Amino acid sequence: MKIFLGMIDLIILSEYRVKNNLFLGVIEMKKRIVRSISRYMLIIMVFTILSIGITAKTSHLKNNNIKYLNTSLGIDIKNIDMSTIHDINPMDTKQIQQLSLYGYRASQMEKMDYGDYKKIKAKQNMSEKRIKYAKNIYPELTDVNMSEWTNEKYEQYITTRNDELFKPNNEQLSQFKKRQIELDDARYLLKIYHSYDNILDQSDETLREHLEKLYIFKLKYLNDLNSIELANLNSKGISMNSYAIPESKKTKYTYVSGLESYAYGNGDWFHNDTQTHIDDNASFYMSQAHNIHRAIYGNVTPRFTNLWGTYSSSQGGAHEGIDMCPTDGPYQPPLKSVVNGTVIGINTSVGKVVIKGAPAGYDQSFFYYHMSSDNVDEDEIVYSGITTIGNEGSKGNSTGDHLHFAVEDGITTSTGKESDDRLTSENPYLVLLIN
Ligand SMILES: [Zn+2]
């Protein structure tokens, strides 16, 4: 059962946090201007020089108010706030259709790009479908009347909620401050290390390596859109091949932003065959991820550190499973079976248990990886939601406690290779339509 819905060629960047901070920044700037006339002159001069420089290089640049974030660990590479980037890629047919539903005419849409589409969509009320998925993902919204909510308001809700959810404790906060690690970057590092304590266990050198890659990746992205910043990269002697995703692979993957309850940065690259997290599909698949998490972990606050079909920079290929864990404990919790089936394979050295089951009507194999211990025997019958398969862990190819969960067609004890760009595993969200 291969779900292939066609190629996506859109590059999607986050626009959701078009910031109030920007305006606050302007107000603060004005105060300072009043305080010091000489400083005022200097600001005007610098600003003029900058504007001339940027305009000259990028005549096609569209209102990009690029904002830079502080860098961690004294890294001397610019760190871009991706949410302030206007994406000048063209719209696809689905987006054009959507805009005509909003009442836009073809002549008006001629000059519009993907960034314009995102801005318009943000101001529109949420669709009924999206409200339904939102209530499924966030039970606290069940009784909230969301009929007047704009998409922007919902995105803000998610951002605030995630900020609260992924807030480090005071001890961790002071450690990050002491080591000069920005909180935005700590959030990004969660994807790799799964907990703030794990991050703090790493040396500055190790963390610097990851963050430099991230900053360069963002710069390169900006450069693709706007043809600026290239000089910045070259002057640092940075090789073009060191990005999180190599240039040559970008045609096979699509960047998707606005991933709800994703444990870092809210965006990732997805293999074009997935179609799982694009636009209106995003809410559905994210709610499916939550359903699977709940079926395995029970009622804990979920965290997803890698979704199915993302580009795995450590493996250099498509990620064949879903990486998940609880947000703040418990430590190495018991994991329940998601299907009725039979245990067909156990490998304790990598913490792997494989279950044969047929939730979609024919044999498929369900994989649990990295477990610290297993609780089942070969040929044992297991029951969905009842049998404990084992306890979460970090065995095998893993940098921190989490579960790598994957589904394969037929009876097999091995999953697809993560190191190539073919996505051979099954779409776990469609196999397991858990409600
Ligand atoms: Zn994984």
Side-chain angles (χ1 to χ4, degrees):
M1 189 179 71
K2 267 275 160 290
I3 303 297
F4 184 82
L5 295 165
M7 296 283 286
I8 321 122
D9 55 10
L10 253 199
I11 306 292
I12 302 170
L13 273 170
S14 172
E15 282 264 336
Y16 293 132
R17 293 195 211 174
V18 179
K19 297 287 189 262
N20 295 329
N21 325 14
L22 264 182
F23 300 113
L24 289 177
V26 171
I27 291 164
E28 179 58 24
M29 202 189 216
K30 278 185 181 157
K31 279 184 194 161
R32 283 182 201 170
I33 287 165
V34 172
R35 275 202 297 270
S36 160
I37 293 293
S38 58
R39 209 180 282 170
Y40 174 67
M41 292 304 289
L42 188 68
I43 287 167
I44 291 293
M45 270 166 62
V46 170
F47 200 72
T48 311
I49 292 165
L50 270 178
S51 315
I52 291 167
I54 290 173
T55 319
K57 273 188 193 162
T58 61
S59 50
H60 66 293
L61 186 66
K62 195 165 178 176
N63 298 327
N64 258 348
N65 212 341
I66 299 154
K67 194 180 150 206
Y68 294 97
L69 301 167
N70 292 333
T71 58
S72 296
L73 300 161
I75 297 170
D76 186 21
I77 302 171
K78 282 179 181 173
N79 183 17
I80 299 158
D81 182 349
M82 298 297 267
S83 65
T84 58
I85 307 297
H86 184 108
D87 193 322
I88 56 169
N89 280 292
M91 295 187 282
D92 68 11
T93 44
K94 225 176 111 196
Q95 288 144 7
I96 291 168
Q97 272 169 16
Q98 186 64 51
L99 283 190
S100 47
L101 284 180
Y102 293 154
Y104 284 83
R105 292 187 305 273
S107 57
Q108 288 174 293
M109 289 190 276
E110 247 167 44
K111 287 194 182 102
M112 288 183 180
D113 53 35
Y114 184 68
D116 297 322
Y117 166 77
K118 295 285 268 190
K119 275 187 182 152
I120 292 163
K121 195 183 172 188
K123 301 288 178 205
Q124 296 289 329
N125 283 355
M126 294 171 72
S127 66
E128 266 173 42
K129 207 166 101 186
R130 195 164 195 211
I131 292 175
K132 198 183 117 208
Y133 295 144
K135 289 180 187 254
N136 188 10
I137 295 173
Y138 306 117
E140 73 272 17
L141 292 174
T142 308
D143 297 326
V144 176
N145 177 8
M146 296 173 76
S147 59
E148 298 291 307
W149 279 39
T150 58
N151 289 305
E152 192 172 43
K153 180 172 175 178
Y154 179 51
E155 296 301 335
Q156 277 296 339
Y157 173 80
I158 295 164
T159 304
T160 314
R161 191 183 185 278
N162 282 352
D163 285 350
E164 190 57 39
L165 207 57
F166 297 114
K167 203 165 70 186
N169 64 35
N170 286 344
E171 170 59 23
Q172 292 162 338
L173 264 178
S174 74
Q175 286 288 327
F176 283 130
K177 207 172 165 190
K178 214 165 98 190
R179 288 180 60 182
Q180 214 201 319
I181 298 166
E182 294 292 322
L183 284 188
D184 276 343
D185 289 340
R187 273 278 282 280
Y188 165 77
L189 290 166
L190 271 182
K191 180 183 170 171
I192 301 157
Y193 294 107
H194 308 300
S195 83
Y196 288 124
D197 286 337
N198 268 351
I199 296 170
L200 288 164
D201 282 346
Q202 313 300 317
S203 69
D204 282 5
E205 226 162 70
T206 306
L207 298 182
R208 186 174 292 122
E209 217 170 283
H210 288 298
L211 292 177
E212 279 179 358
K213 269 189 191 162
L214 172 69
Y215 296 169
I216 293 165
F217 168 76
K218 289 170 158 191
L219 272 177
K220 181 62 179 59
Y221 214 99
L222 184 64
N223 178 57
D224 282 353
L225 285 179
N226 297 322
S227 316
I228 58 173
E229 301 297 344
L230 193 61
N232 183 313
L233 285 181
N234 288 342
S235 72
K236 302 251 173 293
I238 288 157
S239 147
M240 284 298 190
N241 296 323
S242 56
Y243 306 114
I245 180 164
E247 194 59 28
S248 59
K249 297 199 173 187
K250 278 191 179 172
T251 52
K252 298 192 179 97
Y253 295 81
T254 302
Y255 188 79
V256 177
S257 68
L259 297 172
E260 294 146 16
S261 70
Y262 207 37
Y264 90 115
N266 283 348
D268 211 343
W269 288 87
F270 286 81
H271 196 281
N272 288 338
D273 285 359
T274 67
Q275 280 277 356
T276 47
H277 295 275
I278 314 296
D279 280 348
D280 287 346
N281 288 343
S283 303
F284 166 73
Y285 285 106
M286 214 57 223
S287 71
Q288 276 304 96
H290 278 251
N291 288 339
I292 291 172
H293 195 289
R294 198 178 311 119
I296 294 175
Y297 282 89
N299 270 329
V300 296
T301 311
R303 171 185 292 161
F304 298 95
T305 51
N306 235 341
L307 290 163
W308 179 70
T310 56
Y311 179 73
S312 163
S313 51
S314 60
Q315 299 290 308
H319 186 239
E320 300 278 4
I322 307 171
D323 286 351
M324 52 191 148
C325 54
T327 283
D328 32 33
Y331 175 72
Q332 299 193 339
L335 306 174
K336 290 275 194 283
S337 181
V338 282
V339 286
N340 297 327
T342 313
V343 177
I344 56 169
I346 297 174
N347 179 340
T348 50
S349 67
V350 294
K352 175 170 89 168
V353 169
V354 191
I355 301 161
K356 181 191 82 176
Y362 50 92
D363 280 334
Q364 286 175 316
S365 304
F366 298 80
F367 292 77
Y368 287 61
Y369 272 96
H370 311 307
M371 287 191 292
S372 55
S373 62
D374 59 72
N375 188 51
V376 287
D377 295 315
E378 207 137 331
D379 297 327
E380 186 174 331
I381 309 260
V382 296
Y383 299 94
S384 170
I386 295 169
T387 313
T388 297
I389 302 301
N391 283 70
E392 188 197 63
S394 187
K395 278 189 180 177
N397 182 12
S398 167
T399 52
D401 288 334
H402 77 286
L403 170 69
H404 173 99
F405 173 77
V407 184
E408 291 284 336
D409 250 356
I411 302 169
T412 173
T413 52
S414 64
T415 42
K417 266 204 310 206
E418 310 265 337
S419 57
D420 65 28
D421 293 310
R422 287 175 313 141
L423 193 62
T424 56
S425 56
E426 286 303 288
N427 180 331
Y429 313 112
L430 295 182
V431 169
L432 292 161
L433 275 174
I434 303 163
N435 286 305

